[in-house]
Amino acid sequence: EINTEPETSSGINAEWPLRPGTHINNIPKLKERLEAIQKKLPWIENLDVTVDLKVPIEDMKAVINDNFKQEMLFYKQSQVGAQQSIARLISMGISTERPEDYFAEMVKSDVHMKRVKEKLISKQLTMERTEKVTKMRKMKRLGKKVQQEVLKKRADDKKGMIEKVKKIRKGKAEQADADDFEINTEPETSSGKKGKDDINKKRKAKDSKYGFGGKKKMAKKNTQESAKDVTTFSSRIHSKPKRSAKNDKRMGGGKPSGKPSGKPQRPGKTKRANNKNRARNK
């Protein structure tokens, strides 16, 4: 006999102990009952597959206490069962792949799916915006650091360049420093290179034809020899004509004219101011 009443009614996990009695295991009756309730359907209707991985008992003891190994065992068992089922379906001529023009009606309505889609898009945009802001903050911090390094490098380069220029001006620079400015610190030899003393052939030809220009400043100044030389003097050319009362206009000479000679003299400042005040009083 089986006790159907718990000894204690406190708690939802109360134990139901079995009292000692006669337990009958009638296998023929159980099989008969199984055949009565069992439905004999073709395999395609239930797709049941039994897989035996044949795991040794020693490994099973290790699997019992390891959840990860249990999950791996279930995964392998499902994988083998799927492979056997697919092979059996192919042998029966049943397709196992979805056709390209397959159309399935959605359980949810289009309006509901539209809301779901908008929600997913909104969430995705929020995540992208957050990632973008985080990335910009990192780049800003990195940019400040890079900018400081660039400014420091520029200042160092400028300082080094000024020092090199000072050395080149003083003539203490090495050829490696002078190469940065394309300057040759070594004196040029006369092996085919043009020096400072070399003169252009065209310049030589003009000098031989027209002569060298020579000194330009104070070229017309008299010297002691030129001052004593009067051979080129002519009284007809160099002497001034004599003044006469007839020809001198300052003495009233010349042809008489009805108009006064020259412009009338402008009155002085005081006289102009008096004339202006007189005109205002009128």
Side-chain angles (χ1 to χ4, degrees):
E1 295 180 1
I2 299 175
N3 185 15
T4 57
E5 295 181 359
E7 293 182 354
T8 57
S9 59
S10 60
I12 59 173
N13 296 323
E15 296 182 358
W16 296 75
L18 296 176
R19 292 183 179 180
T22 305
H23 303 286
I24 301 171
N25 184 15
N26 194 346
I27 295 176
K29 288 289 183 180
L30 291 174
K31 288 184 177 180
E32 182 180 352
R33 187 60 183 167
L34 178 61
E35 291 177 359
I37 63 175
Q38 189 177 14
K39 293 182 179 180
K40 295 181 181 181
L41 299 174
W43 179 81
I44 193 63
E45 296 294 335
N46 51 30
L47 298 177
D48 57 342
V49 179
T50 303
V51 178
D52 186 9
L53 294 178
K54 297 180 181 180
V55 181
I57 299 174
E58 292 79 7
D59 296 342
M60 285 299 297
K61 291 180 179 179
V63 169
I64 291 172
N65 299 323
D66 194 341
N67 293 333
F68 179 74
K69 290 183 179 180
Q70 289 179 10
E71 293 294 334
M72 288 301 298
L73 184 63
F74 297 153
Y75 172 76
K76 292 179 180 178
Q77 189 176 7
S78 303
Q79 188 178 19
V80 173
Q83 292 174 354
Q84 292 178 2
S85 301
I86 291 173
R88 192 169 179 180
L89 289 170
I90 292 173
S91 64
M92 295 172 64
I94 299 174
S95 178
T96 59
E97 295 180 358
R98 180 180 295 178
E100 295 180 358
D101 57 348
Y102 179 80
F103 177 76
E105 186 176 357
M106 300 295 293
V107 177
K108 304 285 185 181
S109 63
D110 294 340
V111 178
H112 179 80
M113 294 307 297
K114 185 178 180 181
R115 290 201 302 268
V116 173
K117 184 178 180 181
E118 291 176 354
K119 185 71 175 177
L120 292 174
I121 291 173
S122 176
K123 187 180 291 186
Q124 185 178 2
L125 291 175
T126 305
M127 291 176 63
E128 290 178 357
R129 197 180 299 112
T130 305
E131 291 178 358
K132 187 176 180 180
V133 171
T134 307
K135 189 175 181 181
M136 286 178 66
R137 287 176 182 172
K138 290 182 180 179
M139 291 298 293
K140 192 175 181 180
R141 290 196 294 266
L142 183 63
K144 287 183 179 179
K145 185 177 180 181
V146 172
Q147 186 179 10
Q148 291 176 359
E149 292 178 357
V150 170
L151 292 175
K152 185 179 179 182
K153 185 178 179 182
R154 286 180 182 175
D156 295 341
D157 294 343
K158 186 177 180 181
K159 186 177 180 181
M161 191 71 67
I162 292 172
E163 291 179 356
K164 288 181 181 179
V165 170
K166 287 182 180 178
K167 288 182 180 179
I168 290 173
R169 285 179 179 176
K170 292 179 181 179
K172 297 180 181 180
E174 299 179 357
Q175 187 63 33
D177 296 336
D179 290 340
D180 297 338
F181 301 94
E182 297 181 356
I183 297 174
N184 187 13
T185 57
E186 297 179 359
E188 293 184 355
T189 58
S190 59
S191 59
K193 290 188 178 181
K194 187 185 291 185
K196 293 183 179 179
D197 298 334
D198 294 340
I199 302 175
N200 193 1
K201 292 183 179 179
K202 189 176 181 180
R203 181 75 264 164
K204 283 184 179 180
K206 287 188 177 182
D207 289 346
S208 62
K209 184 176 180 180
Y210 302 106
F212 181 68
K215 189 177 181 181
K216 299 294 188 298
K217 291 183 179 180
M218 303 175 70
K220 295 183 179 181
K221 185 179 180 181
N222 279 336
T223 60
Q224 188 175 4
E225 289 79 10
S226 64
K228 292 178 181 179
D229 187 10
V230 292
T231 56
T232 59
F233 177 78
S234 175
S235 59
R236 184 177 61 83
I237 298 172
H238 297 95
S239 61
K240 296 181 180 179
K242 295 180 179 180
R243 290 180 179 173
S244 62
K246 185 177 180 180
N247 294 329
D248 197 351
K249 293 182 179 179
R250 292 179 296 178
M251 300 293 290
K255 295 182 179 180
S257 175
K259 297 180 180 180
S261 62
K263 295 181 180 180
Q265 189 175 4
R266 185 187 181 194
K269 184 176 181 181
T270 307
K271 193 170 184 180
R272 291 198 308 271
N274 293 335
N275 292 336
K276 191 181 291 184
N277 295 331
R278 196 178 299 146
R280 286 176 182 175
N281 293 331
K282 288 181 181 180

